[in-house]
Amino acid sequence: MSMLDKIKGMLKGHEDQAKQGVEKAGDFVDQKTQNKYSGQVDTAQEKLNEQIGGTRPPTDEAGR
């Protein structure tokens, strides 16, 4: 079993909370880098959210 499979198992049932954490972490990085790498951060957030799965799409990015 890969590390990713283990993490997915631990997150099962908590996908929404994990996605919120991904969004907060991305916002933190954007803030610290003064949005210099916002495109790369957004891409990483999207890929992480795809891996997490779940039932609802990622949160609205209007706050950026």
Side-chain angles (χ1 to χ4, degrees):
M1 180 181 275
S2 72
M3 181 63 98
L4 185 58
D5 291 334
K6 289 180 183 181
I7 292 171
K8 283 183 183 180
M10 291 188 312
L11 294 176
K12 191 166 190 134
H14 304 284
E15 291 89 356
D16 291 343
Q17 290 174 329
K19 287 182 180 186
Q20 287 176 356
V22 168
E23 292 298 320
K24 284 184 179 183
D27 293 344
F28 178 78
V29 171
D30 281 339
Q31 178 187 9
K32 290 296 183 180
T33 61
Q34 298 174 352
N35 293 323
K36 185 174 181 181
Y37 303 104
S38 63
Q40 291 91 335
V41 171
D42 290 343
T43 300
Q45 286 173 312
E46 289 172 13
K47 291 193 182 288
L48 283 169
N49 284 329
E50 287 173 10
Q51 289 294 316
I52 292 170
T55 57
R56 73 179 177 105
T59 57
D60 184 21
E61 295 181 6
R64 291 186 186 197

